[in-house]
Amino acid sequence: MAYKILTVDDSNFARMLLKKAILEAQSDVEISEADCAEAALKMLAGNSYDIFFIDVNMPGTNGFELAMQIREQLPEAHLAILTANIQDASQKKAQELGAAFIAKPVTTEKIRSFLQQVGETDG
């Protein structure tokens, strides 16, 4: 299944690594990128995405706040929260949002596992 994916991270390097991991995990996807929450929200207008990979620590609106806004607009979307902060509080917040928690550094294996779960949910 070809998914439309939006990655949101203020680091260009992190977005490049994430895109590489996504494409290694599943090649039949369409990936768009945003460098902040505000840009991501603008991209939602008139577009529909299946999967969101969202960094937590960004200037302005953080990833948790963005995830809440996406969840309100697209309740069926699959969300993955990405952060190096692996404290229980961050994991709990992701869970409360109905989002997967993926600890940085991102790897192809972590992305593949998440995409497999998405496939099982959609299948």
Side-chain angles (χ1 to χ4, degrees), residues 84-106:
N85 179 353
I86 59 169
Q87 296 178 6
D88 290 341
S90 294
Q91 294 179 37
K92 184 176 184 217
K93 184 73 173 171
Q95 185 178 25
E96 289 170 358
L97 292 168
F101 181 89
I102 300 176
K104 286 185 173 182
V106 173

Side-chain angles (χ1 to χ4, degrees), residues 15-122:
R15 289 194 315 273
M16 285 179 12
L17 290 177
L18 177 57
K19 184 175 183 177
K20 181 178 184 288
I22 293 168
L23 291 173
E24 287 176 355
Q26 186 166 336
S27 60
D28 62 336
V29 295
E30 180 183 322
I31 302 171
S32 298
E33 300 178 25
D35 63 0
C36 66
E38 291 74 19
L41 291 171
K42 285 180 185 174
M43 293 175 75
L44 280 179
N47 289 298
S48 181
Y49 297 96
D50 306 299
I51 299 171
F52 295 83
F53 290 95
I54 306 166
D55 180 43
V56 171
N57 294 316
M58 296 184 288
T61 304
N62 72 41
F64 290 125
E65 293 165 346
L66 174 60
M68 284 191 295
Q69 293 177 45
I70 291 170
R71 182 63 71 215
E72 289 172 5
Q73 292 184 41
L74 298 169
E76 301 301 316
H78 300 280
L79 308 178
I81 299 293
L82 310 175
T83 183
N85 179 353
I86 59 169
Q87 296 178 6
D88 290 341
S90 294
Q91 294 179 37
K92 184 176 184 217
K93 184 73 173 171
Q95 185 178 25
E96 289 170 358
L97 292 168
F101 181 89
I102 300 176
K104 286 185 173 182
V106 173
T107 64
T108 301
E109 292 75 27
K110 291 175 186 177
I111 299 301
R112 183 176 291 121
S113 176
F114 171 72
L115 293 175
Q116 286 174 343
Q117 291 172 358
V118 167
E120 290 168 5
T121 304
D122 288 347

